[in-house]
Amino acid sequence: MRVTAQTKAATRQRILDAAQGLFAAQGFEAATTRDIARQAQIAVGTLFNYFPTKEAVALCLVSEAHARAAEQFAADRLADSAEPLTLEEELFAHVAAILRKLKPFRKYLTAVLDTTLSPLTTLSPLTSEQADGDQPLRTVHLETVSQIVLRHGPEPPSTVALHLYWTLFLGVLAFWSKDTSPRQEDTLAMLDESLAMFVGWLTTRTNQQQNHNSGG
């Protein structure tokens, strides 16, 4: 019998719901793919048709929460009542909104950072079931960052600028996942300093490019 797209989507969501519950109750390390499959009422082999590893399940949960945060942030910035912000302030507000949405996953964010989000990781190709509905977190995040930068300057950020930003962002995420300060205040301070450095570098590069183009 042919499995419909609706059935696939429902199965995929059951896997995610089961994993989120187990990760919260047992911890990421203790929960196994067999536990997730049992909770989702499917065979382990069926789970692997959707997600090749436990880390891939975690990445999907993090990515979906990130995407919701990005959508909400974009809607808030487009609202008529949105307060005008500087480039640094808007980048800060964007990351802060994401951290708030990712808070339920903070305890196992390190597992995602160490594997699928690491710049050194090469992922194997996903099947159509595994790729269904997934848009890479990096793509979503950097598209928003490009839009923010473009709102404050004449040109979108270069590939080099986005690579630098992404490296800083991953550093903030890694620090945040282990931050024990009250309300993760140390992370916010680190984020503030990182964005100040990035914006300062970006401004310098933009000025240099404009001087070069004008023959100065």
Side-chain angles (χ1 to χ4, degrees):
M1 183 177 67
R2 182 177 177 82
V3 180
T4 65
Q6 185 176 6
T7 300
K8 289 181 181 179
T11 300
R12 182 178 181 278
Q13 190 58 51
R14 285 210 315 277
I15 293 170
L16 293 174
D17 291 342
Q20 185 171 358
L22 287 169
F23 292 162
Q26 300 180 12
F28 180 80
E29 295 298 333
T32 66
T33 51
R34 187 174 298 277
D35 294 332
I36 295 170
R38 185 185 302 112
Q39 186 71 18
Q41 299 181 339
I42 59 173
V44 176
T46 300
L47 185 150
F48 290 140
N49 287 334
Y50 290 82
F51 299 99
T53 64
K54 182 172 66 171
E55 288 76 16
V57 180
L59 174 63
C60 188
L61 289 168
V62 170
S63 295
E64 289 190 352
H66 176 280
R68 291 192 296 272
E71 290 173 2
Q72 185 61 56
F73 177 81
D76 290 344
R77 295 313 305 156
L78 288 173
D80 292 338
S81 59
E83 178 185 357
L85 300 173
T86 65
L87 173 57
E88 187 176 335
E89 288 171 340
E90 191 166 353
L91 289 171
F92 186 97
H94 174 230
V95 176
I98 288 168
L99 295 183
R100 285 194 296 271
K101 190 65 77 171
L102 293 185
K103 192 170 184 179
F105 316 103
R106 192 167 77 97
K107 290 184 179 179
Y108 56 86
L109 189 59
T110 302
V112 176
L113 290 170
D114 288 346
T115 54
T116 47
L117 286 186
S118 168
L120 302 178
T121 298
T122 301
L123 295 177
S124 58
L126 299 180
T127 67
S128 59
E129 286 85 358
Q130 292 163 358
D132 239 9
D134 289 332
Q135 187 174 11
L137 186 156
R138 185 178 190 274
T139 300
V140 173
H141 192 94
L142 293 184
E143 281 179 355
T144 302
V145 170
S146 295
Q147 292 167 5
I148 292 172
V149 173
L150 192 55
R151 280 199 287 270
H152 294 268
E155 297 180 354
S158 66
T159 301
V160 172
L162 290 176
H163 183 75
L164 172 60
Y165 172 88
W166 183 247
T167 302
L168 292 172
F169 175 66
L170 289 183
V172 169
L173 279 185
F175 185 87
W176 178 65
S177 69
K178 300 293 186 180
D179 188 1
T180 58
S181 64
R183 289 188 259 183
Q184 290 76 60
E185 293 166 0
D186 288 348
T187 296
L188 297 181
M190 180 184 184
L191 174 61
D192 192 36
E193 292 182 12
S194 297
L195 291 177
M197 180 175 66
F198 172 71
V199 171
W201 177 87
L202 191 64
T203 301
T204 300
R205 286 293 296 264
T206 300
N207 291 339
Q208 289 174 343
Q209 186 63 43
Q210 289 175 342
N211 290 335
H212 176 76
N213 292 340
S214 63

